[in-house]
Amino acid sequence: MDPVSRRGFLKKTSLLTMASIVGANIPFAQNMPGGLIPALLANSDQPFSVEGKDGLIYLNDRPVNAETPPQFLDSPFTEPKYFFIRNNGTPPELKDIDPSKWTLEISGESCKKPMKFSIEDLKKKFKTYTYALVIECGGNNREEVVPATKGNQWQVGAVGCGRWTGVRLRDVLEHCGIKKDAVYIGFYGADTRLDGDTSKEVISRGVPMKKALEDETLIAWEYEGGEIPYMNGYPLRLVIGGWPASVSGKWLTKIVVRNKVHDGEKMNGQSYRVPCKPVAPGEKVDDKDMCIMESMIVKSIITHPVSGTKTPLNKTLDLRGKAWAGDRSVKEMYVSIDFGVTWQKAKLKKPLNRLAWQEWSASVKFPQEGYYEVWARAVDDKGDSQPMVLPGWNPRGYLNNACHRIAVRVI
């Protein structure tokens, strides 16, 4: 066991060092299970943290998963230190990562000429592009799902959008040659399973060729002008905007071109799948009746002010936020202060590029003192709107895009 945590330094240390840490000799040290965290440290009230990250809400530390409070998504693009963390296993040791020696293999049944590339090869052989892309966990906002489902109980912060730099996946695949029978790609990364079983992958997902060959699908080595944060896939990551973040493989080492739907880890069963037809809340659904999640759906958040804010009567309250719609774009944005009875149109900016989120703003005035809720609702370019309540239930709690709301007390 090798927990990625602030206590991970215990790995491979001597019993003498461990004794000094707990402040006493350990008489039965020979009986300690491998990787055990001494209770004295496990019970520490020292807050958990990850180097290079700030302000995140940690859901668990094995694997590390953490979301971003909405107020830290207020800037036009998500700062690296605020970008959420979603891991399925244990990342490769940072000390073992050498970008100059990192390689990416392109292969698979439908690849004409399998090849390997260093990061430097990618930079020299192919044109570099930068796109702002939304990366959102398929289970974002799962906490509000009723009846509750398994999985990380995200609120609204398992999302981020920033400018990724790299090469187009399309250019690399075409360089290697794509056979006519190609239908899907799949990825593999350098992270490992929590149970230490190296014979199985942690996660190996993919997308249809049409999505893989889009201009904005990148093999990236840079985020917001610097290296990709360690917990977000350093030194190389697949970035596929608009679809569940699980298809944007981190610590990328291999991409395969398949002549069938990719069958890697977490592509089958009920992982990242929703019922093909509507089901009743709490209903059990057979695997054969579950369909792969593809594009994310229209959604928005309020990034300013924070929920629970107080504001004086007769003063205008300025609102800001972000909106996005998977493969689509957001056409209109609305806010309400009367629980959705009436709606006021907000100002909506255009995205920097396709698959980037859009900034919105509005100002509201309240008729009297008291408790209010501000609701936000986005409408995409096909006319689909966020629902005011929980949308269709599914066994894994995916795709909850109910209106985000914050509490405001007018004094």
Side-chain angles (χ1 to χ4, degrees):
M1 296 176 61
D2 179 21
V4 180
S5 72
R6 61 184 170 80
R7 301 175 293 269
F9 64 87
L10 293 177
K11 180 185 177 185
K12 298 180 181 178
T13 57
S14 66
L15 292 176
L16 180 62
T17 302
M18 189 178 293
S20 67
I21 292 170
V22 301
N25 181 42
I26 307 175
F28 297 104
Q30 70 275 13
N31 298 331
M32 293 176 67
L36 181 74
I37 298 171
L40 180 66
L41 300 182
N43 293 337
S44 171
D45 59 2
Q46 181 181 344
F48 180 86
S49 63
V50 169
E51 185 175 353
K53 295 293 184 179
D54 186 28
L56 300 187
I57 300 170
Y58 288 90
L59 280 67
N60 46 12
D61 65 354
R62 194 171 184 275
V64 178
N65 289 295
E67 69 172 283
T68 313
Q71 64 268 28
F72 294 136
L73 299 174
D74 192 47
S75 59
F77 300 107
T78 309
E79 295 182 45
K81 64 182 178 181
Y82 295 141
F83 205 98
F84 79 100
I85 301 171
R86 171 63 176 111
N87 288 340
N88 286 272
T90 303
E93 292 277 355
L94 181 58
K95 63 179 179 60
D96 295 334
I97 297 176
D98 183 347
S100 67
K101 297 180 180 178
W102 196 271
T103 59
L104 172 65
E105 177 185 346
I106 307 294
S107 59
E109 311 97 327
S110 297
C111 176
K112 291 182 179 179
K113 298 177 292 182
M115 297 183 185
K116 279 190 176 182
F117 302 92
S118 66
I119 295 177
E120 193 61 29
D121 288 336
L122 294 173
K123 293 179 180 179
K124 288 181 178 179
K125 291 179 181 293
F126 306 100
K127 185 178 178 179
T128 298
Y129 294 86
T130 297
Y131 292 107
L133 301 169
V134 174
I135 302 294
E136 181 184 13
C137 178
N140 195 20
N141 209 14
R142 182 183 281 124
E143 185 186 54
E144 291 186 358
V145 174
V146 179
T149 64
K150 293 181 179 180
N152 290 304
Q153 297 302 300
W154 303 106
Q155 297 180 45
V156 296
V159 64
C161 178
R163 291 158 293 192
W164 300 87
T165 297
V167 296
R168 288 175 175 169
L169 175 60
R170 181 184 69 201
D171 294 343
V172 178
L173 295 185
E174 289 178 347
H175 180 79
C176 295
I178 305 170
K179 294 182 181 179
K180 292 182 179 180
D181 64 353
V183 296
Y184 233 84
I185 63 104
F187 73 78
Y188 296 88
D191 46 342
T192 55
R193 291 170 57 95
L194 297 175
D195 61 12
D197 186 350
T198 57
S199 66
K200 298 178 181 179
E201 300 295 331
V202 177
I203 182 170
S204 175
R205 302 201 66 232
V207 297
M209 291 305 300
K210 182 179 179 180
K211 184 66 179 177
L213 299 179
E214 286 184 347
D215 286 349
E216 300 85 3
T217 298
L218 296 179
I219 299 171
W221 55 78
E222 187 175 289
Y223 177 75
E224 283 296 294
E227 293 176 337
I228 296 173
Y230 167 53
M231 279 290 174
N232 299 121
Y234 169 80
L236 198 65
R237 175 174 186 163
L238 189 60
V239 186
I240 303 178
W243 284 37
S246 57
V247 302
S248 294
K250 300 186 292 293
W251 308 289
L252 186 66
T253 58
K254 183 178 180 180
I255 294 173
V256 288
V257 185
R258 308 298 310 272
N259 59 8
K260 60 181 180 180
V261 175
H262 186 54
D263 53 1
E265 184 67 26
K266 298 192 182 297
M267 279 294 294
N268 300 303
Q270 303 206 358
S271 295
Y272 302 103
R273 290 174 176 249
V274 294
C276 300
K277 299 178 181 179
V279 299
E283 183 177 338
K284 186 175 181 180
V285 185
D286 290 338
D287 290 356
K288 64 181 177 60
D289 297 321
M290 300 287 281
C291 290
I292 298 171
M293 288 172 58
E294 294 191 342
S295 175
M296 299 297 284
I297 52 182
V298 63
K299 199 166 187 175
S300 64
I301 55 171
I302 302 167
T303 59
H304 174 84
V306 297
S307 187
T309 193
K310 294 181 180 180
T311 186
L313 183 63
N314 299 323
K315 182 179 179 181
T316 298
L317 179 65
D318 292 331
L319 306 170
R320 294 191 299 271
K322 304 294 190 298
W324 60 97
D327 281 338
R328 301 177 182 178
S329 62
V330 179
K331 182 180 179 180
E332 297 173 330
M333 188 71 210
Y334 297 90
V335 295
S336 174
I337 63 170
D338 56 9
F339 301 98
V341 175
T342 62
W343 293 90
Q344 172 186 327
K345 197 168 185 177
K347 295 179 181 178
L348 181 68
K349 292 184 178 180
K350 292 183 178 180
L352 180 65
N353 53 254
R354 179 175 176 269
L355 306 181
W357 65 18
Q358 296 168 242
E359 296 180 272
W360 64 264
S361 61
S363 296
V364 295
K365 291 194 72 173
F366 301 92
Q368 64 184 64
E369 296 177 2
Y371 171 83
Y372 294 83
E373 289 190 3
V374 176
W375 292 13
R377 177 171 64 90
V379 181
D380 71 22
D381 58 5
K382 299 293 184 181
D384 289 349
S385 172
Q386 286 183 263
M388 289 183 282
V389 295
L390 182 72
W393 185 90
N394 62 82
R396 291 295 179 92
Y398 295 128
L399 298 177
N400 178 12
N401 69 333
C403 292
H404 185 214
R405 55 200 177 102
I406 63 169
V408 176
R409 189 172 294 278
V410 178
I411 55 176

